Amino acid sequence: MSNSQEREKTQRKKSKMLDATKSLKNIMGRHYLAIEQAYRDGNPTAWATSGSPVELLYAMKVQPMLPENSATMSAAQHISKDLIELAETQGFSYDLCSYFKTNIGAVSKGINTFKGGIRKPTFMMATDVICDTHVDWFQTQGERMNVPVYLIDVPHIVSNVNQRQYQYYKKYVEEQLWGLMDFIQEHTGNELDMEHARKVAENSYKLSEVWRDIYELRKNIPSPISTKDTFGGLFPLFTMPGLKPPIKLYKRMYREAKGRVDAGIGALPNEEFRLGFEGIPFWYNLKYFAMLEKFNAIIVYEPYTFAFAKFFSNPFEEISKERLLKDPIEAMSSLMLSFWYIFDLETRVKWFKKTTEDWKIDGWILHNNVSCRPNTATIYDLKRHLQDDYDIPCLIIDADQNDPRKFNEIQVSNRIESFIEILRKRKET
Amino acid sequence: MKKIGIIDSCVETPEELILSGGFIPYRLFGDSSLSPLKADEHLPPTHCVWARNILEQGLQGLPDDIMGIVSTHGCDCMNRQFDIWLDSVDMEFMYFLNSPLKRNAAAKKFFIQDMKELIRQIEEHYNVKITDEKIRENIQLMNKIRALLKEISEFRTKMKIKYSELHELIKKVQTIDKQEALNILEEKLKDVKSRPSIKENELKNILLTGSGLDDTDFIMNLENAGFHIVIDDLCIGTHYFWEQADEGADPLESIANYHFKKPIYSAKVPSHQRYNFIEQLIDTYEVKGVINLAEKFCESILYDHPFMNKKLKEKGVPYLFLEKEYNTEAYKQLSTRFDAFYEII
Ligand code: SF4
Ligand code: SF4
C-alpha cells in the first residue's frame, strides 16, 4: 500500500486500530484452546497472578491461566457487575478489588472460559510483588477449590533501598524460584529442562523487545497508534510470555505502525494533545477512551501496558539478553523485584518526568482506581511532584477497572473536558 | 533517653534491636481525636483509616525526642505509605524492615539479613555499636515483659482485670523505657492478684479479633455494651506476649524464630491459620462469641472475614463482623450492632 493510500485509509475514520491488532483475537483464542487442550490431554495447569514468573510455567510444561485476564473478559462483556455482586453476597466487601470479586463470581457461577470463567487448576502461583490482593485471592480460592498454592514473597522496594539490600532481596526471590520448581515437580512430575527454559526466556525477551519498539514509535508526532492497540494488545505479555506466536503479532503491529510513521500519519487525524494514562483502564467501557478523540487528544503512553515489557524497566540493573540466557532464573528474580507498575514514589516521579519529555506528553490522566490500593497509595504525591516540581499537568479521575458501579461517566467526562481546556490554554500561551 | 518510632500494622518489629542501639522503641498508636486533614492530601479516601491517622501524626510532627522511624512490612497500605513518610515527614532516619510474608527457612534467612542491615544502618547513623551480647540481654528483658503480660492477661478469666486496662498497659509498655515497664508490670501483677473480682454478672465472655485495634476508648465502648473480652487475638494483645524467644540461640535467629511462632496476623501468610489460634482460644477460654473488627478499608481483614465466618459457623460460635472508622463520634453508631449481638449470645 502506498503512503498516500495508507494516509487516506487512516483518515477515513477517527483513531484507527492497526489491522495487525485485529488478529489479537486469534492469538488469545490460541491461548484458550491451549488451555482446553491441556485439560483434554491431562496436562498440568496453573493459575498465575500478574507479576509472577509465567515463563517458568511454560518452561516446565505447565499451561498458565491468568484470572486477572479472565476478569477483564467478563468486564468487556458487561457481566463483571453481576459477578462482583455475587461475590459480595458471599461476604466479600464492596471495598475489595473488583478483579478478585469477578473471579469469585465467575468460579461460583461456573461461567464459560470465553466469558471470563476459569477452570480448577493443578496448582496456583501467586506473589505479593504487585499487591496483597494477589496473595489473599489465591489463598482464598486455593482453600475454596482445594488446590495447592505456591507463594513467592517479594521484598517491597521503597525509595531508600540501597544496592546492598537489593542484592539480598534478589537472592531471597531466587531461592523461592528454585523452591517453585521443586513444588511444580512435586505436583506435576515435570522436571526443569534448562535448555527449554532458555528458549522460553529468549522468547519472552523478544516479546518485550518488540513491545518496547512499538512504544518507541509512539514518540513520533503524530503517534501511529492509540490505546485501541495497546489496551488489548497487552494481554500476550501476561499470558504468553515465552511463546512465539505473539512475537509475530507484535512484529506485524510494529511494521504497520512504522509504515504510518514513515508516511507521517497518526492514529488520530488531527493530533493536538498528547496524553499519558496511568493505571488500569475501565475494561467494561473501553470505548470511553475514544471520547478523547473529539478533543483531538490521544493517549501515547500508559505505564501499565508498558510495565509488563519488564526487561526494559528495571531501575537497578540492566537485564541483557546474554545475562538472561546465561542464568534465566537469576535474571527472572531481578525482573520480579522492580518494574514500572510497582515503582517506589521517587523512581515513579523520575520515570514519569523522563517519559513526559521523551514521549512529548502534554498532560497525564491518573486513574485513582478504588480497587487498587497499592497503585493509588502515592498517586496524590505523584501528581504534586509532577505539577509542582516539573510543571507537568495532571488530572486525577476516580473509577474502578472492573466495577462499572464505581465509574461516574458524567463526572469523569466533565473533569477531562476541563483538563483539556487547561492544556489548550497552556498551548496558546 | 532518645526514642525510635515504630510503625507496624502487626507486631513484627524486633524491639530488641532498637533497645540494643540505646534507644527506647516507641510504637506509634492512633489518636481518635485527630482529623486527618493533612493525610487527606496524600491518601485517596478509600485507604485504611488507621494508617491515615498515623500518617497524620507524622505530617503534623512527632515529638522531638523521636530520632528516627522503623516501619515494618505489613499490608499494602502501610508498605506503600513508607514512601510518603520519606518524602513528606521531617525525620532524618527511616528504615523499612521487610519482615517476610511467609514463615519458612528461606524467609528466616532473609529476615535475619534484613535485621542485620537495620543494625548496620542504626550503627552507622547514630555511631553506636549493637553487639550480640546486648541483643541477648534485651531478648531476656523482653521475655520477662512478655511473661508478665501473659500472667496479667490470664487474670481476665478470673474477672480481675478487663481487657481495656490490659490494653492500656500493653501500649504503655511499647512506648516507655523497658526497665521502667518491667517495674510497672511487676507492681501491676501484685495489684491484680490482690484485688477482688469485678462483680458484673451480666458480662458475656467474648474473643476480640481483627485489625490492630489500638484505641482503648473503643475497647471500653465494647465493654460498656456488656462484653468481657476474656481473650483476644490482637496485636495489642496476645500477639505481643504469647510466645517467648529462645535465650540460648544465636540472637538474630532467636528473634526470627520468635516472630515466626507467634500468632499470625492477617497480613501474613497463611493468614487462614489465624483461625486455628482463635479456635484454640475459644476452647480454652470458654468464649461465647467472636467479634471481628476491621478498621475501615483494612483489606487484610476483609479478605479473611468470609473464611472466619464459615469456620465459626461450622463450630457453632456466634460471630459478628464490623468495620469501624477511626473517630470517637463514629463509634457510637456501632452500639446498636453490639446490643443485637449481645442478645444472641
Ligand atoms: S487491581 Fe490492584 S489490587 Fe487488584 S489485582 Fe490488580 S494490582 Fe492487585
Ligand atoms: S488496619 Fe489493616 S489496612 Fe490498616 S494498617 Fe493495619 S493491616 Fe493495614
Side-chain angles (χ1 to χ4, degrees):
Chain A
M1 197 186 297
S2 72
N3 286 352
S4 60
Q5 278 173 315
E6 171 70 13
R7 184 179 298 123
E8 198 182 297
K9 195 173 159 215
T10 307
Q11 293 194 345
R12 264 203 303 270
K13 285 183 204 160
K14 288 210 147 192
S15 168
K16 182 134 180 48
M17 186 192 257
L18 297 171
D19 286 334
T21 309
K22 290 177 194 147
S23 17
L24 181 80
K25 262 198 190 132
N26 303 339
I27 295 280
M28 289 309 289
R30 279 168 93 141
H31 171 65
Y32 288 104
L33 284 177
I35 293 171
E36 290 311 313
Q37 189 71 37
Y39 280 98
R40 267 201 303 277
D41 297 348
N43 290 333
T45 58
W47 283 16
T49 57
S50 60
S52 67
V54 172
E55 290 88 343
L56 290 184
L57 298 179
Y58 280 120
M60 292 194 69
K61 306 220 159 51
V62 176
Q63 175 60 46
M65 299 188 270
L66 278 90
E68 281 151 277
N69 182 222
S70 301
T72 65
M73 289 169 64
S74 304
Q77 292 172 65
H78 307 291
I79 55 170
S80 59
K81 177 174 164 281
D82 289 351
L83 300 174
I84 289 167
E85 285 174 347
L86 176 59
E88 287 168 359
T89 64
Q90 296 175 23
F92 294 103
S93 165
Y94 179 81
D95 295 318
L96 288 175
C97 171
S98 55
Y99 275 166
F100 162 73
K101 285 185 288 181
T102 304
N103 173 259
I104 290 279
V107 173
S108 301
K109 251 188 156 170
I111 60 171
N112 85 43
T113 321
F114 293 96
K115 293 200 154 174
I118 183 163
R119 296 172 67 161
K120 178 176 168 171
T122 316
F123 66 90
M124 298 179 185
M125 166 178 77
T127 156
D128 60 335
V129 65
I130 291 182
C131 62
D132 293 344
T133 289
H134 285 157
V135 171
D136 290 313
W137 177 347
F138 280 22
Q139 177 179 250
T140 300
Q141 288 290 45
E143 192 266 330
R144 284 161 65 116
M145 298 168 87
N146 193 21
V147 169
V149 183
Y150 189 85
L151 173 71
I152 308 162
D153 177 18
V154 179
H156 180 60
I157 292 190
V158 294
S159 294
N160 67 355
V161 162
N162 60 38
Q163 265 294 341
R164 193 172 51 233
Q165 287 169 285
Y166 178 77
Q167 292 308 326
Y168 66 76
Y169 287 11
K170 199 166 81 178
K171 279 264 165 292
Y172 177 39
V173 177
E174 190 178 342
E175 203 167 333
Q176 294 174 82
L177 294 188
W178 286 107
L180 167 69
M181 287 176 289
D182 291 343
F183 172 90
I184 295 177
Q185 189 171 348
E186 184 192 331
H187 290 278
T188 66
N190 294 0
E191 283 178 39
L192 178 72
D193 167 353
M194 204 37 113
E195 265 328 291
H196 182 54
R198 282 201 179 88
K199 272 194 200 117
V200 169
E202 188 173 8
N203 285 338
S204 177
Y205 185 89
K206 279 187 187 154
L207 190 68
S208 279
E209 197 174 35
V210 193
W211 191 248
R212 191 259 331 255
D213 294 344
I214 293 172
Y215 257 73
E216 287 293 312
L217 292 177
R218 297 176 93 186
K219 284 181 178 169
N220 288 286
I221 299 178
S223 167
I225 62 168
S226 72
T227 52
K228 284 185 180 154
D229 298 294
T230 52
F231 282 158
L234 137 103
F235 287 116
L237 282 171
F238 286 120
T239 54
M240 306 164 91
L243 303 189
K244 281 204 167 129
I247 305 174
K248 278 195 197 145
L249 168 75
Y250 283 6
K251 280 189 174 163
R252 278 185 25 233
M253 284 172 73
Y254 174 83
R255 279 197 298 272
E256 206 183 327
K258 180 78 171 53
R260 286 185 181 181
V261 171
D262 293 343
I265 51 181
L268 194 62
N270 300 307
E271 179 183 301
E272 226 183 308
F273 301 105
R274 295 168 65 84
L275 305 176
F277 181 83
E278 160 67 348
I280 309 178
F282 334 125
W283 297 114
Y284 44 85
N285 196 352
L286 277 184
K287 283 203 186 98
Y288 181 78
F289 291 89
M291 163 304 253
L292 291 168
E293 295 169 4
K294 72 176 184 215
F295 305 114
N296 290 329
I298 183 166
I299 292 171
V300 297
Y301 198 102
E302 313 92 40
Y304 170 67
T305 58
F306 187 70
F308 296 92
K310 53 201 170 196
F311 293 89
F312 305 102
S313 60
N314 187 314
F316 284 90
E317 54 183 335
E318 195 199 337
I319 296 149
S320 66
K321 193 153 138 193
E322 293 65 42
R323 185 179 146 198
L324 175 72
L325 296 185
K326 190 166 159 249
D327 192 345
I329 310 301
E330 185 267 342
M332 214 41 91
S333 50
S334 295
L335 291 170
M336 284 190 73
L337 259 178
S338 191
F339 56 98
W340 236 130
Y341 194 62
I342 54 159
F343 281 160
D344 61 271
L345 178 61
E346 200 180 307
T347 311
R348 222 176 169 197
V349 172
K350 263 191 230 150
W351 278 58
F352 268 88
K353 177 182 174 278
K354 183 154 175 25
T355 303
T356 306
E357 288 162 2
D358 293 351
W359 271 262
K360 301 161 202 88
I361 289 171
D362 297 308
W364 284 87
I365 297 176
L366 312 174
H367 177 192
N368 175 37
N369 180 355
V370 295
S371 255
C372 190
R373 285 169 187 89
N375 191 244
T376 57
T378 53
I379 200 166
Y380 290 176
D381 293 274
L382 173 67
K383 178 183 182 217
R384 181 171 50 82
H385 278 294
L386 294 178
Q387 291 198 158
D388 298 355
D389 305 348
Y390 305 114
D391 191 30
I392 299 168
C394 295
L395 169 74
I396 292 183
I397 54 168
D398 304 320
D400 186 288
Q401 89 275 11
N402 239 41
D403 189 344
R405 299 172 304 174
K406 298 178 183 175
F407 175 57
N408 182 333
E409 188 167 341
I410 295 172
Q411 195 187 64
V412 171
S413 300
N414 288 343
R415 303 197 61 198
I416 290 181
E417 200 164 338
S418 313
F419 184 59
I420 298 281
E421 264 322 295
I422 293 170
L423 299 185
R424 191 183 304 284
K425 289 217 174 84
R426 278 171 67 95
K427 274 194 190 271
E428 282 164 9
T429 53
Chain B
M1 220 161 132
K2 303 286 189 205
K3 297 169 180 163
I4 286 191
I6 290 176
I7 305 177
D8 202 336
S9 40
C10 330
V11 270
E12 300 280 317
T13 318
E15 290 179 278
E16 291 87 344
L17 304 186
I18 297 172
L19 287 166
S20 303
F23 296 95
I24 295 176
Y26 183 93
R27 183 178 169 129
L28 300 187
F29 294 110
D31 173 356
S32 55
S33 68
L34 272 189
S35 297
L37 297 178
K38 285 184 195 275
D40 288 349
E41 290 171 19
H42 295 266
L43 291 172
T46 50
H47 285 242
C48 162
V49 291
W50 179 81
R52 182 183 300 272
N53 190 292
I54 299 293
L55 178 62
E56 180 68 25
Q57 296 179 39
L59 294 167
Q60 287 192 12
L62 296 174
D64 286 346
D65 58 352
I66 298 182
M67 310 300 291
I69 288 288
V70 175
S71 179
T72 304
H73 178 281
C75 59
D76 269 343
C77 190
M78 289 309 273
N79 299 348
R80 308 282 161 168
Q81 252 188 50
F82 184 75
D83 285 339
I84 303 178
W85 278 77
L86 276 177
D87 194 47
S88 296
V89 175
D90 187 19
M91 183 67 65
E92 58 175 89
F93 177 80
M94 291 200 208
Y95 187 81
F96 184 79
L97 183 73
N98 257 304
S99 87
L101 201 65
K102 297 192 288 187
R103 297 173 158 194
N104 61 15
K108 188 162 101 181
K109 196 163 103 192
F110 169 74
F111 193 22
I112 290 172
Q113 274 168 320
D114 214 27
M115 284 194 279
K116 281 186 179 159
E117 177 68 25
L118 170 63
I119 291 172
R120 184 177 181 151
Q121 291 199 17
I122 291 179
E123 286 182 335
E124 281 172 6
H125 193 86
Y126 298 105
N127 197 21
V128 292
K129 192 84 203 116
I130 298 178
T131 61
D132 278 4
E133 208 31 60
K134 275 194 205 158
I135 303 175
R136 223 172 265 125
E137 278 168 24
N138 284 309
I139 288 175
Q140 287 167 4
L141 177 63
M142 287 305 299
N143 273 348
K144 281 187 198 148
I145 286 176
R146 291 189 271 256
L148 278 165
L149 278 171
K150 194 169 182 181
E151 205 178 337
I152 295 168
S153 166
E154 288 300 315
F155 283 94
R156 284 192 266 179
T157 56
K158 301 194 173 78
M159 294 295 283
K160 292 205 171 201
I161 187 168
K162 285 187 183 179
Y163 180 51
S164 51
E165 190 181 348
L166 177 69
H167 194 259
E168 277 288 14
L169 198 61
I170 300 169
K171 280 167 41 178
K172 188 162 195 174
V173 165
Q174 292 184 70
T175 52
I176 60 171
D177 173 66
K178 288 288 191 277
Q179 202 56 53
E180 191 191 335
L182 200 60
N183 299 339
I184 291 175
L185 291 177
E186 278 162 356
E187 283 307 308
K188 180 64 88 179
L189 180 62
K190 274 190 227 149
D191 165 28
V192 170
K193 270 183 183 167
S194 60
R195 60 168 77 154
S197 297
I198 306 158
K199 298 247 177 315
E200 289 184 58
N201 298 335
E202 300 302 314
L203 287 182
K204 292 184 178 175
N205 280 356
I206 59 153
L207 177 149
L208 185 62
T209 182
S211 309
L213 299 185
D214 61 4
D215 189 1
T216 311
D217 280 351
F218 181 79
I219 306 290
M220 282 175 173
N221 268 354
L222 254 178
E223 289 172 347
N224 292 340
F227 299 109
H228 176 53
I229 300 150
V230 65
I231 195 69
D232 66 88
D233 162 55
L234 292 169
C235 300
I236 320 296
T238 51
H239 292 211
Y240 187 66
F241 57 71
W242 203 250
E243 295 291 340
Q244 291 280 302
D246 182 354
E247 294 178 8
D250 168 81
L252 293 186
E253 175 131 356
S254 154
I255 291 175
N257 287 338
Y258 162 75
H259 283 280
F260 284 9
K261 72 179 169 184
K262 72 177 192 293
I264 200 160
Y265 180 62
S266 297
K268 299 290 174 184
V269 168
S271 70
H272 285 182
Q273 271 180 10
R274 192 170 184 181
Y275 174 75
N276 302 346
F277 183 59
I278 291 178
E279 187 174 40
Q280 182 198 321
L281 296 178
I282 290 171
D283 295 340
T284 314
Y285 293 87
E286 296 173 8
V287 166
K288 299 285 176 272
V290 170
I291 297 184
N292 186 7
L293 260 161
E295 301 288 3
K296 185 71 188 162
F297 304 119
C298 174
E299 289 185 323
S300 307
I301 304 300
L302 291 178
Y303 276 109
D304 276 359
H305 150 62
F307 177 77
M308 210 66 98
N309 189 14
K310 180 184 114 189
K311 297 302 271 186
L312 287 164
K313 226 180 228 153
E314 281 165 14
K315 195 171 169 62
V317 175
Y319 171 72
L320 174 69
F321 172 72
L322 287 174
E323 287 177 90
K324 71 182 259 296
E325 294 288 345
Y326 209 93
N327 68 69
T328 18
E329 270 313 296
Y331 295 170
K332 291 179 195 144
Q333 292 160 10
L334 295 176
S335 60
T336 45
R337 303 284 306 275
F338 292 155
D339 293 347
F341 190 62
Y342 182 88
E343 290 308 320
I344 62 163
I345 64 174

